[in-house]
Amino acid sequence: MMQDMAKGISRGLEGKSFEGSLKFDCGSDGVIILKGEAVLTQDQDTDCTLKISKENLGKLLRGKLNAMTGVMTGKLKVSGNMTVAMRLAKLL
């Protein structure tokens, strides 16, 4: 499932580059890393980490969950460089 999400993110980012590195941490379900033009599923250190459930990540990517609403309701927790997190909002 995370591989499928990663492929979808990769297709959506075609022709774009993400400045910095960001991790979607879905706990035991796995991770998705955005780093430059790459979308990876192997865990590594990143500039910013977003802790989110796999279900809520799907909603975020489909536009059914607003990132700010997710943070305010506790569905999304941000740690690390907030500037990197803000760059994600421009891509969604």
Side-chain angles (χ1 to χ4, degrees):
M1 179 70 170
M2 295 303 280
Q3 288 286 351
D4 293 337
M5 283 186 170
K7 287 177 186 175
I9 292 171
S10 185
R11 283 190 299 272
L13 292 178
E14 280 183 20
K16 300 175 186 173
S17 181
F18 186 78
E19 187 179 335
S21 59
L22 181 134
K23 179 189 319 186
F24 293 107
D25 182 351
C26 297
S28 62
D29 288 316
V31 299
I32 296 176
I33 309 282
L34 303 181
K35 191 173 188 178
E37 295 178 10
V39 179
L40 313 165
T41 55
Q42 296 81 28
D43 198 6
Q44 58 184 269
D45 290 335
T46 56
D47 299 327
C48 181
T49 299
L50 304 179
K51 289 191 180 238
I52 189 169
S53 71
K54 181 175 65 174
E55 178 185 351
N56 285 329
L57 176 57
K59 290 178 183 178
L60 181 70
L61 296 174
R62 291 189 308 273
K64 302 291 184 188
L65 174 64
N66 177 282
M68 280 307 244
T69 301
V71 170
M72 304 273 273
T73 60
K75 294 178 180 179
L76 174 65
K77 295 182 180 166
V78 181
S79 61
N81 188 327
M82 291 298 286
T83 304
V84 173
M86 299 299 250
R87 289 183 196 128
L88 174 67
K90 293 178 184 177
L91 293 177
L92 294 176

